[in-house]
Amino acid sequence: MTASVDISAREAEVLALVGEHLTNAEIAARLFISVRTVESHVSSLLRKLAVPDRRALALSAAASASAPIDRATRPAPVLPAPLTSFVGRTRERAELAEMIRRERQVTAVGPGGVGKTRLALAVAAEVADEFPDGVWFVDLVPITGSHLGPVADAVGLALGLGEQPGRGMDQSVLAALADRRVLLVLDNCEHVLDGVAPFIEQVLAECPRVTVLATSRARLMVPFERACPVPPMSLAGDGASDAVELFMDRAAAGGWPPNHALREQIAEFCQGLDGMALAIELAAARWTTLGLDGLTDGLSDQLRMLAGGARTDDRHRSVRAALDWSHALLDPDDQVLLRRVSVFTKSFTTKAAAEVVGVGKGSVADGLARLSEQSLLVVLATPAGTRYRALETIRQYGSEKLAEAGELDEVRSLHLQWCLAQADDLAAVVGEWRARFDAVADDLRAALAWAAERPELGAQAYDLARRLAELTFTRHLIGESQQRYEQAAALAADADTAPMLRQAAAVAGCRMRGDDMYRLNREAADAALAAGDTAGAATDLATAAANSYRFASKFVRTLPPGEGGGLVARARELAGDDPRAGVAMALAEAGRVLTEAFEAAEGMSDGAVAEAVAYAERAVALARRAGNPLAESAALDTLSGALSWAGDPFAVADTARRRAALLAAVPHGPIAAHELIDALGEATEAGLGVGDLQGARGWARQLADHPMLAEVGHRATGPLLVTDALAGNVDEVLTRSTRFLDAWQRAGCPAGSALGPAAAGVEMIHGLRGDDDAGREWATVLGRLDPPTEQAYGYRAVFDAILLLHNGDVRSARERTAAEPDEVWRSVTWLWLHWYVALRAEVAVLGGYPDAAKLVAQARTVVAGNPVAGAIVERAAALLDDRPERLLAVAAAFDAAGCHYQSARTKAFAGGDASGLAELALAPMVVRRAP
């Protein structure tokens, strides 16, 4: 049965990408819209398609994937959030809804089986329109850890967030909810009280417009909590009570509606079950086979057997009685099946059940169908096939029966083997990989949690931890990946401990956690030493030192003076004559020389630069000889740094290109990803420094598309924005600046000089277009990113000079380029030096300053070999010599270099027909203002 739902074309696009299990940031990047817009569409789709959470929405997307996205209407999926209709509870719904409107944190409290989740979902749907930023449902059942981290991860998944490097998921969730009017529904909190309570406290403190509705068997005991006891189904009104209506509704679903004349007897029967919703539903499922007499006789016996206890326990007693009774009516094979499938954390397939239960697939399929008919399992129809799921109360009951039967270890072991096989299958990243991983991830985690507590299963637990670390890294759950690598190290045999810690250190680097990276490298050294691998220990110590130099910006703690040098000295002692530590030792020595020289009061001496270059070149040679491309990448990076201080931008660019090309052929993994992201940024900068705009744009494009940076769009798109701004690619800058700004704001508006050039480039483009309002907005962003200093002769001077010259303000441009390059080039750095000296020469020519000829001659020497800076200088020379016929050749040089704005500007200088071409080229930049 389907219903027509109005879904816009854009919503259909978002839905399709949710079906690919992309995060909101990944969807925003794919569609060139803001993350907030994606969130709005997802919230709307949840309401329109009547599904509770993002997982169900992904299934809905897959179910409707064959429909064209431009249709205004499409069938609603056959998976409504509640698989059965909601019955009764008018008073409870009104009371809970009113509490949600008045209070910021409400906990629906009651025993298992009373109907807390169904009531919460019904009320959440009822008040949804009062929360413009959405209602978000989070099922906490799969969580295996009790601390805050897993809770925040589950909420982040429900919200469509991915992990941002440099920020924990709890921080990302708080940032996403900071200014939103949202209802957050946290279901099944009782087993994670230690994690959910502090999480809710943080949300309430830092997100003033968020309301939290929790369901739990016990109060959460957080400040400002308002408990709302959920009673059993109402028994008032006898034959017209809510309890009777629930029984009648569920019994009718079996095809044989009860006679209304039996309502009074059904009321008496429901009273014996204390009105507990789950007990009533289990009994109603047997209506067609037993009738009311059979139900009454069977359940009465169970209730008598379980008599006694306090009234609070009676409600549990009623559900337990219904479960025991339903279980007793099952065939022995079905009893076995029910208890054994309880090991699955969430939903499972027939094939999975057959492997874990240990019987034939055909028998399992029949048994699962029978259990579903008795309401002991829920059937989920998905595009990939039928899946089954037990309600949490029934799953817990099955686990008890499993333990009573003495089968717990046996079935858990079979489940562990199944999980290991699933992890093996997922090693090949093909097809709908994300959906396949997400379908089994909770079971992998649960199996690992069980196995890790059993020393006799240490080898298997280690194997699963290692594989889960790899899989979560591929899934870009990099916080969990680091945790799993560390867990694998703790479970590993001595020889495997250090390799796991090295991988964990690399993941920490991808997360921008330099302190963790340093700690883990040092722990790896200790582990290697304990295993008798002195060369490995030396390499780890030297790597820790080298990384503290290479990635200093990723550290929160500043290393004490001499600590890095001390690590190098200790590494040298351990390495002895063993050549295996040579690469890391050379890198660490090069980094030490560069750092010490840079920090010295007298600055970097030529001797220090030469020494650093020599160490780095030795490291490159050793790594290449050893056939280690990752070590070679690190060595090339260090060599680039040394060459930049030597003032050789072309050598830097060549080295950076070699590094990026080398890593393109390296298999994906934590160390490779960490190196590649750094290498792409370096190659882009180096290309810009020597005027290779097209090459720089290629590297920057790869960086912008790198999946590891999907959640940090400001870092991903920054280099590409700089490249496009210098090239004059207006449309690209305007489109991608939206992602940059949106991501930067979501990240909490972090400051950082590395992000400044992008903002300055966007500001310049708006200035060239004459959009002063937008220019001022981006000037404010730039001021927050990178406050100006006295010697702002780098990117600020370059972008300012281009804009000032465009507007004919030569005098101001002269002031911005007044400093001598020899005095400022190291604060400018090699990246901007050629642009600076070329524009400085053009300013002198256009202003008619007496030093114009000298500056043009000097600039020619400095920028020789740079096609863009060289063309700027040649344009200045043509204007100085009054040789306009040379300008068309200069314009052609700009075109060949991919610098379209400068080409159009050159044609404008040339006059004649060329000026008309220039007007056409510059036309897209101009903001058309209403008269």
Side-chain angles (χ1 to χ4, degrees):
M1 181 174 176
T2 60
S4 183
V5 185
D6 182 16
I7 295 179
S8 69
R10 178 63 87 187
E11 285 175 336
E13 289 178 316
V14 170
L15 179 61
L17 294 176
V18 169
E20 293 181 23
H21 291 239
L22 301 185
T23 65
N24 290 341
E26 290 171 325
I27 294 172
R30 188 82 65 88
L31 299 180
F32 297 105
I33 56 179
S34 72
V35 170
R36 176 161 287 198
T37 300
V38 175
E39 292 170 351
S40 177
H41 287 315
V42 171
S43 177
S44 174
L45 287 164
L46 288 170
R47 290 196 302 272
K48 290 181 177 182
L49 298 180
V51 292
D53 56 25
R54 197 177 184 93
R55 292 190 186 203
L57 192 62
L59 289 174
S60 301
S64 56
S66 59
I69 64 172
D70 59 348
R71 287 179 56 185
T73 61
R74 61 179 61 209
V78 199
L79 294 171
L83 297 175
T84 51
S85 59
F86 188 85
V87 175
R89 292 196 183 275
T90 302
R91 180 180 58 81
E92 293 96 322
R93 290 176 71 171
E95 289 178 355
L96 184 55
E98 185 57 32
M99 291 177 69
I100 290 172
R101 294 183 179 103
R102 291 198 320 263
E103 311 290 340
R104 291 195 57 216
Q105 203 275 300
V106 180
T107 304
V109 181
V114 77
K116 300 182 297 295
T117 299
R118 291 297 304 275
L119 177 62
L121 282 170
V123 172
E126 184 177 320
V127 301
D129 290 342
E130 300 173 37
F131 294 89
D133 294 314
V135 175
W136 306 96
F137 179 84
V138 187
D139 183 4
L140 300 180
V141 165
I143 293 179
T144 55
S146 60
H147 54 286
L148 185 146
V151 175
D153 289 343
V155 176
L157 177 65
L159 294 174
L161 304 178
E163 184 178 342
Q164 295 185 9
R167 168 185 264 186
M169 184 59 84
D170 57 328
Q171 296 172 297
S172 295
V173 169
L174 294 174
L177 297 177
D179 61 345
R180 311 297 171 88
R181 177 75 172 121
V182 159
L183 175 61
L184 190 61
V185 183
L186 304 179
D187 193 36
N188 291 294
C189 295
E190 56 274 351
H191 70 297
V192 285
L193 290 178
D194 291 342
V196 80
F199 174 79
I200 291 176
E201 286 189 55
Q202 284 190 8
V203 169
L204 295 178
E206 300 185 35
C207 308
R209 302 178 67 209
V210 171
T211 297
V212 177
L213 170 59
T215 73
S216 177
R217 298 185 184 187
R219 291 188 60 182
L220 307 183
M221 307 305 290
V222 296
F224 312 114
E225 178 185 24
R226 179 69 183 272
C228 178
V230 179
M233 300 295 291
S234 171
L235 297 164
D238 296 328
S241 68
D242 286 350
V244 171
E245 291 301 328
L246 177 64
F247 183 95
M248 299 288 283
D249 181 85
R250 300 303 190 255
W256 180 24
N259 192 315
H260 282 263
L262 297 174
R263 277 179 172 270
E264 296 300 326
Q265 293 171 265
I266 292 173
E268 184 178 350
F269 174 74
C270 291
Q271 189 163 2
L273 293 177
D274 299 306
M276 293 294 286
L278 179 57
I280 292 171
E281 295 201 34
L282 290 172
R286 292 281 183 175
W287 165 260
T288 56
T289 55
L290 297 179
L292 187 57
D293 291 344
L295 293 176
T296 302
D297 291 343
L299 270 172
S300 293
D301 290 341
Q302 288 298 124
L303 289 167
R304 278 194 295 273
M305 289 173 58
L306 297 173
R311 184 63 192 165
T312 303
D313 294 328
D314 285 349
R315 293 174 182 172
H316 293 280
R317 177 180 66 90
S318 302
V319 173
R320 180 58 184 246
L323 286 168
D324 281 341
W325 171 76
S326 295
H327 181 264
L329 292 175
L330 295 174
D331 291 338
D333 288 345
D334 290 349
Q335 291 178 347
V336 172
L337 181 60
L338 179 64
R339 65 177 179 256
R340 291 188 176 185
V341 296
S342 69
V343 297
F344 289 102
T345 302
K346 293 288 285 184
S347 65
F348 54 90
T349 64
T350 301
K351 182 176 183 294
E355 293 181 25
V356 170
V357 171
V359 298
K361 185 176 177 182
S363 299
V364 169
D366 291 341
L368 292 175
R370 289 190 294 271
L371 292 175
S372 302
E373 291 168 0
Q374 305 309 319
S375 294
L376 291 167
L377 293 177
V378 174
V379 182
L380 303 172
T382 75
T386 302
R387 300 184 71 88
Y388 298 87
R389 179 175 63 84
L391 297 177
E392 181 59 12
T393 301
I394 296 174
R395 195 180 72 83
Q396 291 177 7
Y397 177 85
S399 296
E400 291 177 13
K401 288 296 181 183
L402 196 61
E404 289 173 9
E407 299 173 349
L408 184 61
D409 286 349
E410 176 190 352
V411 177
R412 282 286 185 189
S413 295
L414 288 171
H415 181 250
L416 175 61
Q417 296 307 315
W418 178 81
C419 288
L420 286 166
Q422 296 304 303
D424 269 346
D425 289 342
L426 288 165
V429 184
V430 295
E432 299 296 324
W433 186 90
R434 284 194 177 194
R436 291 192 295 119
F437 171 81
D438 289 351
V440 300
D442 291 330
D443 278 294
L444 300 185
R445 295 173 181 123
L448 176 57
W450 176 78
E453 297 297 322
R454 286 156 180 77
E456 70 276 13
L457 296 174
Q460 292 171 299
Y462 160 72
D463 197 15
L464 184 53
R466 175 182 58 80
R467 297 187 203 190
L468 191 53
E470 295 166 353
L471 294 172
T472 50
F473 184 81
T474 302
R475 185 61 177 86
H476 310 311
L477 303 174
I478 53 178
E480 182 178 357
S481 180
Q482 180 184 329
Q483 172 199 344
R484 299 302 179 189
Y485 273 120
E486 293 191 54
Q487 185 178 18
L491 293 166
D494 288 348
D496 294 321
T497 302
M500 291 297 98
L501 291 169
R502 290 165 192 149
Q503 295 291 343
V507 178
C510 294
R511 299 179 66 208
M512 302 290 289
R513 303 294 180 97
D515 301 83
D516 273 3
M517 180 169 57
Y518 182 75
R519 168 182 63 82
L520 290 163
N521 279 136
R522 297 201 61 174
E523 289 180 11
D526 293 339
L529 202 56
D533 182 9
T534 54
T539 299
D540 291 324
L541 289 174
T543 299
N547 285 346
S548 72
Y549 303 137
R550 291 179 63 204
F551 305 113
S553 63
K554 297 184 179 183
F555 283 70
V556 174
R557 178 179 75 98
T558 302
L559 296 187
E563 183 169 320
L567 290 181
V568 175
R570 175 60 177 153
R572 192 181 298 113
E573 291 175 13
L574 291 173
D577 297 328
D578 196 318
R580 289 175 293 169
V583 177
M585 290 294 301
L587 284 180
E589 292 284 15
R592 176 187 60 78
V593 171
L594 284 171
T595 301
E596 291 176 357
F598 179 69
E599 293 174 348
E602 64 274 11
M604 182 76 74
S605 67
D606 291 340
V609 170
E611 184 182 8
V613 169
Y615 275 125
E617 287 178 337
R618 180 171 181 271
V620 172
L622 289 171
R624 187 180 298 119
R625 194 179 308 149
N628 187 337
L630 294 175
E632 186 176 351
S633 167
L636 289 169
D637 177 36
T638 304
L639 178 59
S640 292
L643 291 172
S644 68
W645 282 104
D648 190 346
F650 293 102
V652 171
D654 180 63
T655 303
R657 285 192 291 266
R658 286 167 53 200
R659 182 186 177 205
L662 172 74
L663 290 168
V666 176
H668 180 72
I671 299 175
H674 188 210
E675 287 289 329
L676 179 60
I677 290 170
D678 184 70
L680 291 173
E682 183 181 271
T684 302
E685 291 184 343
L688 290 175
V690 296
D692 180 14
L693 285 183
Q694 294 172 332
R697 194 172 192 278
W699 302 123
R701 181 76 220 191
Q702 289 186 47
L703 191 66
D705 292 339
H706 197 288
M708 198 68 70
L709 299 181
E711 304 299 324
V712 282
H714 51 304
R715 286 181 53 208
T717 60
L720 188 55
L721 282 173
V722 176
T723 306
D724 279 331
L726 290 171
N729 298 330
V730 178
D731 289 342
E732 287 84 349
V733 171
L734 297 180
T735 299
R736 292 192 177 87
S737 61
T738 300
R739 182 185 175 196
F740 178 97
L741 186 59
D742 180 56
W744 177 66
Q745 291 170 337
R746 285 191 304 108
C749 302
S753 58
L755 299 173
V762 178
E763 179 193 3
M764 181 197 74
I765 288 295
H766 284 300
L768 295 177
R769 299 177 70 238
D771 192 342
D772 297 333
D773 292 340
R776 280 189 290 270
E777 290 176 8
W778 279 91
T780 301
V781 172
L782 176 57
R784 296 182 64 183
L785 277 171
D786 189 16
T789 60
E790 289 184 4
Q791 288 192 335
Y793 299 111
Y795 68 86
R796 287 176 180 269
V798 169
F799 285 120
D800 284 351
I802 292 173
L803 180 56
L804 290 168
L805 290 176
H806 178 85
N807 292 331
D809 189 354
V810 179
R811 177 176 298 178
S812 296
R814 176 74 166 182
E815 293 174 3
R816 290 297 286 117
T817 57
E820 291 291 336
D822 289 345
E823 297 173 3
V824 299
W825 84 267
R826 276 183 173 156
S827 59
V828 173
T829 74
W830 50 269
L831 171 58
W832 298 102
L833 179 64
H834 286 187
W835 294 87
Y836 181 80
V837 297
L839 289 167
R840 189 167 182 259
E842 181 171 6
V843 167
V845 170
L846 293 177
Y849 294 104
D851 58 352
K854 182 185 73 172
L855 293 182
V856 167
Q858 290 176 345
R860 271 188 171 136
T861 300
V862 172
V863 307
N866 183 320
V868 178
I872 293 174
V873 174
E874 291 309 312
R875 180 175 63 199
L879 294 173
L880 179 66
D881 298 339
D882 194 21
R883 299 284 301 276
E885 70 279 3
R886 288 161 45 188
L887 291 176
L888 289 182
V890 174
F894 280 124
D895 284 332
C899 197
H900 310 302
Y901 166 72
Q902 294 295 349
S903 172
R905 177 174 164 79
T906 305
K907 292 170 183 174
F909 278 123
D913 293 338
S915 63
L917 295 174
E919 288 180 11
L920 289 174
L922 291 172
M925 292 188 178
V926 179
V927 175
R928 303 300 178 189
R929 304 188 186 280

